[in-house]
Amino acid sequence: MSAHASHAPKRSGLWDWLTTVDHKKIAILYLIAGGIFFLAGGFEALLIRLQLMYPESSVVGAKTFNELITMHGTTMIFLAAMPIIFALMNAVVPLQIGARDVAFPFVNSLGFWLFFFGGVLLNTSWFLGGAPDAGWTSYTTLALNQFSGHGVDFYVLGLQIAGIGTLIGGINFLVTIINMRAPGMTFMRMPMFTWSAFVTSGLILFAFPAITVGLVLLMFDRLFGGNFFNPDAGGNVVIWEHLFWIFGHPEVYILILPAFGVISEVISTFARKRLFGYSSMVFATALIGFLGFMVWAHHMFTTGLGAIANTLFGLATMLIAVPTGIKIFNWLLTMWGGQIRFTSANLWAVGFIPTFTIGGMTGVMLAIPPADYQYHDSYFVVAHFHYVIVGGLIFGLFAGLHYWWPKMFGKMLNETLGKWNFWTFFIGFHLTFFPQHFLGLMGMPRRVFTYLKDQNLDFGNFISTIGAFGMTIGTILFVVNIIVTANSSKRAPADPWDGRTLEWSIPSPPPEYNFAQTPLVRGLDAFWIEKVAGNKGMTPAEPLGDIHMPSPSFLPFMMSVGLFIAGYGFMYHNYVVVVIGLLVTFACMFLRSVNDDPGYHIHEDEIEEVKA
Amino acid sequence: MATHHANAVLPDEPEKATLEGKNKLLGFWLFLGGETVLFGSLFATFIALRDQANGGPTSQELFDMPLVAAATLLLLTSSMTAVMATLALHKKNLKQIQVWLTITVILGLGFLGLEIYEFMHYVHEGHKISTSAFGSSFYTLVGFHGGHVAFGILWIILLQVSATKKGLTVVTAPKFYLASLYWHFIDVVWVFIFTVVYLMGMIGGKVG
Ligand code: HEM
Ligand SMILES: [Cu+2]
């Protein structure tokens, strides 16, 4: 032991961020990168809506419109929503289970940088000859060379790189949650957010390899003369649909389950009650995760799989309404009779419930195969999935960010700005997407850059674009709030909301070792139990002692840079560049495996005992 | 944790003696779960496309039992020698581990050699990735497996070299264990390739 360095090499500024393996800092990196991509995706959405504000307009034109919808969908799903979820999971999960760290800090940082460089690669397409334009689903044959531009190559390679990052991130959380829980933290005492992170990570593990394979096959077709999706040479385009949706449907649960987790935490904290029906919530989460894998073909009703397949997939889809309904009722019953505080965080959570429920109801409508022939590829679908993804996930993320901001940054977000932010976004959201249900029913097709005058589509589209401005204002207010908060000098207390779970038992922001002494967990809502028993903080499960920490490392960054370089080499058929890129990556892997990280120790006398 | 001396007493089952080791083991099993989905998707694609020769050579015309049998034999034997390496690990005998792994690597290289020969031969016969959907799916599935074998060989060699300096410790033991687990996994995948690609491709005309 004495051989170790007792201090981390002191790092500061940019270098610190490029090399950090601390899950709390990685959370912030995910938040910043995901936030920037969210702004980009939102800007793209605004341009789409401007194009559609009036009939037969030519604000951006057809070609750019195709690029915009493709990049908007792809960016929002892969580069905004997923990373912000990872931001919350990184910030919160280790704290909620009483862990000092995640299982693989190095892998954690690698996962971030892979996502980041994959996303950058994808977005450079805008400047290198045009963005992908085959839709975020990249359906073949549209996505083959004959019918789409070079941009799809950026999609194929960018998403492969980012996807590896997500996959290893998922494995990291699974192992962390299984192996690193504090004494007494049984599975059935785990907070709902951690449970949802657990199930989500499991879904990532089994869903992402499927899209990776799809992307590899598409890459072979586009870059190396493969024939997977070329019907002229025996290829089969339905394979792409299957692979895409075997990933794509679980993906929507990967997105929504963490939001469910956030809502459970926020609602019970601000109703000052323990979550109603905790074990049924756990069960419902796991069941939704499982069923999520059984229903992918409901995206393919009109593909022609046949009546039997359509019926089975339709029924399986409707089945998911049961566990989802359980969750909705449990949230309502948690609020029932509680002492509800309408903080900004809770506004988002309460706003989530009816909004998400509407999205769920239109989902059941879409699950009826014959009806889907009518809705398919119309604005009804666009309305449905935005009710689920924005009204569900994005509301959930806003709730989570307002709730955990003090824990992550040690500052309280401004409540007044938060409320303005909520109401403008909430009203803007419903203005944008509610009319789209009717536009769809009236026959307005999705992914078409304009519509004709006087077909009863003018008014709905106009309102929808006005709503998009509302959401834009809401988003800007959130950015303003962040700036105002960052410049204020008021520090957040350890437990600003009178919280129930472990993360509130340590200072805001937490020290790098999280818990000076691993806490002993005595039940569900571990910190609440201690507070009710009149204790100041958690009872420690171990004596105070030296804490071992992993060293920071620049290798994850460099490994990702290597793949980033190799990606361009593949796209431009320049194999010298490919080899250079891959050599960088492999050299880093080599260095990592040859030099075992001894880490360093934080000594007992440097650890401050926490007074909650 | 990290710097046990070579002569320090190793615990039983050194691969899971530390939390780091346990994490690695669990994480690796999960990773193999993901790999299963990866290969499952490739198999499904292959099965859907294997009869689509598009006028190019078909599987019945190409495949040749003796060659595939030899490759299979090499790989299955190498799996057995990898088991021997794990047994040696549990006996904490580094020298034995190194011997068994060296044999594993040699067998693996033999397998790869045969596969490269096989691919070159097929290309010569006009069976390329661009010939047909069958060609694309064949080279992708079998090639992905071959890539895994090549990666495994590099990994094991690297491990062997660095272990000569580091010795057998609670840090290196999980790595040995995982490498051999990985090796079994690609062996199991090969058994499926042997059955689904080669056996089913040699017998009969159209199946399904
Ligand atoms: C924040 C405000 C948002 C607005 C105003 C908005 C608006 C739009 C519009 C107008 C379309 C194009 C519909 C079409 O013509 O096909 C679209 C498509 C889409 N949006 Fe959004 N959206 C927003 C947020 C999001 C978010 C947060 C996500 C996901 C996390 C998302 C995911 C998608 C997807 C997947 C598509 C389909 C793209 C395609 O057809 O390939 N959107 N959105
Ligand atoms: Cu779905």
Side-chain angles (χ1 to χ4, degrees), chain A residues 57-79:
Chain A
S57 75
S58 51
V59 177
V60 296
K63 179 178 178 293
T64 311
F65 186 87
N66 286 347
E67 296 175 332
L68 283 174
I69 56 158
T70 304
M71 283 303 279
H72 162 70
T74 311
T75 303
M76 283 299 194
I77 302 260
F78 292 99
L79 308 179

PDB file of all heavy atoms in Angstrom, chain A residues 57-79:
ATOM      1  N   SER A  57     -44.395  27.048 -48.846  1.00  0.00           N
ATOM      2  CA  SER A  57     -43.333  28.018 -48.614  1.00  0.00           C
ATOM      3  C   SER A  57     -41.980  27.378 -48.932  1.00  0.00           C
ATOM      4  O   SER A  57     -41.869  26.171 -49.143  1.00  0.00           O
ATOM      5  CB  SER A  57     -43.360  28.527 -47.183  1.00  0.00           C
ATOM      6  OG  SER A  57     -42.863  27.541 -46.328  1.00  0.00           O
ATOM      7  N   SER A  58     -40.983  28.232 -49.013  1.00  0.00           N
ATOM      8  CA  SER A  58     -39.669  27.688 -49.380  1.00  0.00           C
ATOM      9  C   SER A  58     -38.599  28.281 -48.484  1.00  0.00           C
ATOM     10  O   SER A  58     -37.612  28.828 -48.947  1.00  0.00           O
ATOM     11  CB  SER A  58     -39.377  28.004 -50.841  1.00  0.00           C
ATOM     12  OG  SER A  58     -39.582  29.388 -51.052  1.00  0.00           O
ATOM     13  N   VAL A  59     -38.835  28.200 -47.169  1.00  0.00           N
ATOM     14  CA  VAL A  59     -37.862  28.731 -46.229  1.00  0.00           C
ATOM     15  C   VAL A  59     -36.541  27.980 -46.340  1.00  0.00           C
ATOM     16  O   VAL A  59     -35.469  28.573 -46.441  1.00  0.00           O
ATOM     17  CB  VAL A  59     -38.397  28.663 -44.789  1.00  0.00           C
ATOM     18  CG1 VAL A  59     -37.350  29.143 -43.800  1.00  0.00           C
ATOM     19  CG2 VAL A  59     -39.670  29.477 -44.665  1.00  0.00           C
ATOM     20  N   VAL A  60     -36.609  26.652 -46.302  1.00  0.00           N
ATOM     21  CA  VAL A  60     -35.377  25.883 -46.439  1.00  0.00           C
ATOM     22  C   VAL A  60     -35.359  25.027 -47.702  1.00  0.00           C
ATOM     23  O   VAL A  60     -34.288  24.635 -48.173  1.00  0.00           O
ATOM     24  CB  VAL A  60     -35.127  24.966 -45.219  1.00  0.00           C
ATOM     25  CG1 VAL A  60     -34.920  25.787 -43.970  1.00  0.00           C
ATOM     26  CG2 VAL A  60     -36.254  23.965 -45.037  1.00  0.00           C
ATOM     27  N   GLY A  61     -36.517  24.694 -48.220  1.00  0.00           N
ATOM     28  CA  GLY A  61     -36.550  23.880 -49.433  1.00  0.00           C
ATOM     29  C   GLY A  61     -36.492  22.391 -49.144  1.00  0.00           C
ATOM     30  O   GLY A  61     -36.200  21.959 -48.027  1.00  0.00           O
ATOM     31  N   ALA A  62     -36.750  21.601 -50.172  1.00  0.00           N
ATOM     32  CA  ALA A  62     -36.933  20.159 -49.990  1.00  0.00           C
ATOM     33  C   ALA A  62     -35.666  19.449 -49.542  1.00  0.00           C
ATOM     34  O   ALA A  62     -35.679  18.630 -48.626  1.00  0.00           O
ATOM     35  CB  ALA A  62     -37.445  19.546 -51.291  1.00  0.00           C
ATOM     36  N   LYS A  63     -34.544  19.754 -50.162  1.00  0.00           N
ATOM     37  CA  LYS A  63     -33.313  19.010 -49.869  1.00  0.00           C
ATOM     38  C   LYS A  63     -32.896  19.229 -48.417  1.00  0.00           C
ATOM     39  O   LYS A  63     -32.660  18.285 -47.662  1.00  0.00           O
ATOM     40  CB  LYS A  63     -32.209  19.469 -50.816  1.00  0.00           C
ATOM     41  CG  LYS A  63     -30.894  18.767 -50.582  1.00  0.00           C
ATOM     42  CD  LYS A  63     -29.835  19.229 -51.578  1.00  0.00           C
ATOM     43  CE  LYS A  63     -28.497  18.574 -51.315  1.00  0.00           C
ATOM     44  NZ  LYS A  63     -27.888  18.991 -50.050  1.00  0.00           N
ATOM     45  N   THR A  64     -32.827  20.500 -48.035  1.00  0.00           N
ATOM     46  CA  THR A  64     -32.435  20.804 -46.660  1.00  0.00           C
ATOM     47  C   THR A  64     -33.460  20.248 -45.678  1.00  0.00           C
ATOM     48  O   THR A  64     -33.097  19.802 -44.591  1.00  0.00           O
ATOM     49  CB  THR A  64     -32.300  22.324 -46.469  1.00  0.00           C
ATOM     50  OG1 THR A  64     -31.505  22.836 -47.523  1.00  0.00           O
ATOM     51  CG2 THR A  64     -31.675  22.660 -45.146  1.00  0.00           C
ATOM     52  N   PHE A  65     -34.728  20.271 -46.070  1.00  0.00           N
ATOM     53  CA  PHE A  65     -35.758  19.738 -45.175  1.00  0.00           C
ATOM     54  C   PHE A  65     -35.472  18.270 -44.858  1.00  0.00           C
ATOM     55  O   PHE A  65     -35.544  17.854 -43.694  1.00  0.00           O
ATOM     56  CB  PHE A  65     -37.133  19.886 -45.821  1.00  0.00           C
ATOM     57  CG  PHE A  65     -38.263  19.503 -44.905  1.00  0.00           C
ATOM     58  CD1 PHE A  65     -38.817  20.427 -44.038  1.00  0.00           C
ATOM     59  CD2 PHE A  65     -38.769  18.206 -44.899  1.00  0.00           C
ATOM     60  CE1 PHE A  65     -39.849  20.077 -43.185  1.00  0.00           C
ATOM     61  CE2 PHE A  65     -39.801  17.854 -44.040  1.00  0.00           C
ATOM     62  CZ  PHE A  65     -40.338  18.789 -43.189  1.00  0.00           C
ATOM     63  N   ASN A  66     -35.136  17.498 -45.884  1.00  0.00           N
ATOM     64  CA  ASN A  66     -34.821  16.082 -45.638  1.00  0.00           C
ATOM     65  C   ASN A  66     -33.651  15.945 -44.682  1.00  0.00           C
ATOM     66  O   ASN A  66     -33.646  15.095 -43.782  1.00  0.00           O
ATOM     67  CB  ASN A  66     -34.486  15.380 -46.953  1.00  0.00           C
ATOM     68  CG  ASN A  66     -35.723  15.147 -47.794  1.00  0.00           C
ATOM     69  OD1 ASN A  66     -36.844  15.286 -47.300  1.00  0.00           O
ATOM     70  ND2 ASN A  66     -35.525  14.801 -49.050  1.00  0.00           N
ATOM     71  N   GLU A  67     -32.645  16.782 -44.857  1.00  0.00           N
ATOM     72  CA  GLU A  67     -31.485  16.733 -43.958  1.00  0.00           C
ATOM     73  C   GLU A  67     -31.896  17.141 -42.549  1.00  0.00           C
ATOM     74  O   GLU A  67     -31.464  16.534 -41.553  1.00  0.00           O
ATOM     75  CB  GLU A  67     -30.381  17.654 -44.471  1.00  0.00           C
ATOM     76  CG  GLU A  67     -29.819  17.222 -45.817  1.00  0.00           C
ATOM     77  CD  GLU A  67     -28.809  18.210 -46.388  1.00  0.00           C
ATOM     78  OE1 GLU A  67     -28.905  19.427 -46.081  1.00  0.00           O
ATOM     79  OE2 GLU A  67     -27.928  17.783 -47.127  1.00  0.00           O
ATOM     80  N   LEU A  68     -32.740  18.147 -42.482  1.00  0.00           N
ATOM     81  CA  LEU A  68     -33.137  18.640 -41.151  1.00  0.00           C
ATOM     82  C   LEU A  68     -33.929  17.597 -40.382  1.00  0.00           C
ATOM     83  O   LEU A  68     -33.668  17.367 -39.194  1.00  0.00           O
ATOM     84  CB  LEU A  68     -33.965  19.928 -41.289  1.00  0.00           C
ATOM     85  CG  LEU A  68     -33.172  21.197 -41.602  1.00  0.00           C
ATOM     86  CD1 LEU A  68     -34.123  22.359 -41.863  1.00  0.00           C
ATOM     87  CD2 LEU A  68     -32.236  21.553 -40.445  1.00  0.00           C
ATOM     88  N   ILE A  69     -34.915  16.949 -41.025  1.00  0.00           N
ATOM     89  CA  ILE A  69     -35.684  15.969 -40.233  1.00  0.00           C
ATOM     90  C   ILE A  69     -34.797  14.799 -39.821  1.00  0.00           C
ATOM     91  O   ILE A  69     -34.887  14.297 -38.708  1.00  0.00           O
ATOM     92  CB  ILE A  69     -36.948  15.430 -40.943  1.00  0.00           C
ATOM     93  CG1 ILE A  69     -36.618  14.819 -42.280  1.00  0.00           C
ATOM     94  CG2 ILE A  69     -38.043  16.458 -41.031  1.00  0.00           C
ATOM     95  CD1 ILE A  69     -37.687  13.845 -42.753  1.00  0.00           C
ATOM     96  N   THR A  70     -33.892  14.415 -40.718  1.00  0.00           N
ATOM     97  CA  THR A  70     -33.006  13.291 -40.377  1.00  0.00           C
ATOM     98  C   THR A  70     -32.102  13.660 -39.204  1.00  0.00           C
ATOM     99  O   THR A  70     -31.990  12.914 -38.222  1.00  0.00           O
ATOM    100  CB  THR A  70     -32.138  12.914 -41.591  1.00  0.00           C
ATOM    101  OG1 THR A  70     -33.000  12.620 -42.680  1.00  0.00           O
ATOM    102  CG2 THR A  70     -31.275  11.706 -41.279  1.00  0.00           C
ATOM    103  N   MET A  71     -31.480  14.817 -39.310  1.00  0.00           N
ATOM    104  CA  MET A  71     -30.551  15.207 -38.251  1.00  0.00           C
ATOM    105  C   MET A  71     -31.286  15.559 -36.961  1.00  0.00           C
ATOM    106  O   MET A  71     -30.793  15.303 -35.868  1.00  0.00           O
ATOM    107  CB  MET A  71     -29.692  16.389 -38.707  1.00  0.00           C
ATOM    108  CG  MET A  71     -28.587  15.971 -39.653  1.00  0.00           C
ATOM    109  SD  MET A  71     -27.499  14.724 -38.945  1.00  0.00           S
ATOM    110  CE  MET A  71     -26.430  15.756 -37.954  1.00  0.00           C
ATOM    111  N   HIS A  72     -32.462  16.141 -37.076  1.00  0.00           N
ATOM    112  CA  HIS A  72     -33.220  16.450 -35.866  1.00  0.00           C
ATOM    113  C   HIS A  72     -33.537  15.160 -35.098  1.00  0.00           C
ATOM    114  O   HIS A  72     -33.253  15.066 -33.900  1.00  0.00           O
ATOM    115  CB  HIS A  72     -34.513  17.193 -36.210  1.00  0.00           C
ATOM    116  CG  HIS A  72     -35.534  17.181 -35.119  1.00  0.00           C
ATOM    117  ND1 HIS A  72     -35.373  17.887 -33.958  1.00  0.00           N
ATOM    118  CD2 HIS A  72     -36.716  16.521 -35.004  1.00  0.00           C
ATOM    119  CE1 HIS A  72     -36.415  17.672 -33.167  1.00  0.00           C
ATOM    120  NE2 HIS A  72     -37.245  16.845 -33.780  1.00  0.00           N
ATOM    121  N   GLY A  73     -34.117  14.185 -35.788  1.00  0.00           N
ATOM    122  CA  GLY A  73     -34.480  12.938 -35.112  1.00  0.00           C
ATOM    123  C   GLY A  73     -33.262  12.235 -34.551  1.00  0.00           C
ATOM    124  O   GLY A  73     -33.208  11.837 -33.387  1.00  0.00           O
ATOM    125  N   THR A  74     -32.231  12.110 -35.395  1.00  0.00           N
ATOM    126  CA  THR A  74     -31.029  11.393 -34.966  1.00  0.00           C
ATOM    127  C   THR A  74     -30.359  12.110 -33.796  1.00  0.00           C
ATOM    128  O   THR A  74     -29.980  11.485 -32.797  1.00  0.00           O
ATOM    129  CB  THR A  74     -30.037  11.303 -36.145  1.00  0.00           C
ATOM    130  OG1 THR A  74     -30.739  10.830 -37.285  1.00  0.00           O
ATOM    131  CG2 THR A  74     -28.906  10.355 -35.836  1.00  0.00           C
ATOM    132  N   THR A  75     -30.217  13.405 -33.914  1.00  0.00           N
ATOM    133  CA  THR A  75     -29.554  14.167 -32.863  1.00  0.00           C
ATOM    134  C   THR A  75     -30.328  14.081 -31.553  1.00  0.00           C
ATOM    135  O   THR A  75     -29.749  13.818 -30.488  1.00  0.00           O
ATOM    136  CB  THR A  75     -29.440  15.656 -33.278  1.00  0.00           C
ATOM    137  OG1 THR A  75     -28.742  15.727 -34.510  1.00  0.00           O
ATOM    138  CG2 THR A  75     -28.705  16.458 -32.230  1.00  0.00           C
ATOM    139  N   MET A  76     -31.638  14.306 -31.635  1.00  0.00           N
ATOM    140  CA  MET A  76     -32.423  14.291 -30.405  1.00  0.00           C
ATOM    141  C   MET A  76     -32.340  12.943 -29.699  1.00  0.00           C
ATOM    142  O   MET A  76     -32.141  12.877 -28.489  1.00  0.00           O
ATOM    143  CB  MET A  76     -33.879  14.622 -30.717  1.00  0.00           C
ATOM    144  CG  MET A  76     -34.118  16.099 -30.965  1.00  0.00           C
ATOM    145  SD  MET A  76     -33.687  17.067 -29.510  1.00  0.00           S
ATOM    146  CE  MET A  76     -34.427  18.631 -29.887  1.00  0.00           C
ATOM    147  N   ILE A  77     -32.490  11.864 -30.441  1.00  0.00           N
ATOM    148  CA  ILE A  77     -32.510  10.548 -29.798  1.00  0.00           C
ATOM    149  C   ILE A  77     -31.120  10.151 -29.302  1.00  0.00           C
ATOM    150  O   ILE A  77     -30.933   9.802 -28.140  1.00  0.00           O
ATOM    151  CB  ILE A  77     -33.017   9.473 -30.776  1.00  0.00           C
ATOM    152  CG1 ILE A  77     -34.409   9.841 -31.265  1.00  0.00           C
ATOM    153  CG2 ILE A  77     -32.938   8.093 -30.142  1.00  0.00           C
ATOM    154  CD1 ILE A  77     -35.535   9.158 -30.615  1.00  0.00           C
ATOM    155  N   PHE A  78     -30.134  10.181 -30.206  1.00  0.00           N
ATOM    156  CA  PHE A  78     -28.839   9.589 -29.858  1.00  0.00           C
ATOM    157  C   PHE A  78     -27.903  10.570 -29.165  1.00  0.00           C
ATOM    158  O   PHE A  78     -27.046  10.161 -28.383  1.00  0.00           O
ATOM    159  CB  PHE A  78     -28.125   9.079 -31.121  1.00  0.00           C
ATOM    160  CG  PHE A  78     -28.789   7.901 -31.751  1.00  0.00           C
ATOM    161  CD1 PHE A  78     -29.628   8.048 -32.831  1.00  0.00           C
ATOM    162  CD2 PHE A  78     -28.571   6.614 -31.254  1.00  0.00           C
ATOM    163  CE1 PHE A  78     -30.243   6.955 -33.426  1.00  0.00           C
ATOM    164  CE2 PHE A  78     -29.183   5.521 -31.837  1.00  0.00           C
ATOM    165  CZ  PHE A  78     -30.033   5.690 -32.922  1.00  0.00           C
ATOM    166  N   LEU A  79     -28.023  11.851 -29.481  1.00  0.00           N
ATOM    167  CA  LEU A  79     -26.998  12.779 -29.013  1.00  0.00           C
ATOM    168  C   LEU A  79     -27.511  13.744 -27.949  1.00  0.00           C
ATOM    169  O   LEU A  79     -26.733  14.464 -27.334  1.00  0.00           O
ATOM    170  CB  LEU A  79     -26.431  13.575 -30.193  1.00  0.00           C
ATOM    171  CG  LEU A  79     -25.953  12.740 -31.383  1.00  0.00           C
ATOM    172  CD1 LEU A  79     -25.444  13.638 -32.488  1.00  0.00           C
ATOM    173  CD2 LEU A  79     -24.866  11.770 -30.947  1.00  0.00           C
TER     174      LEU A  79
END
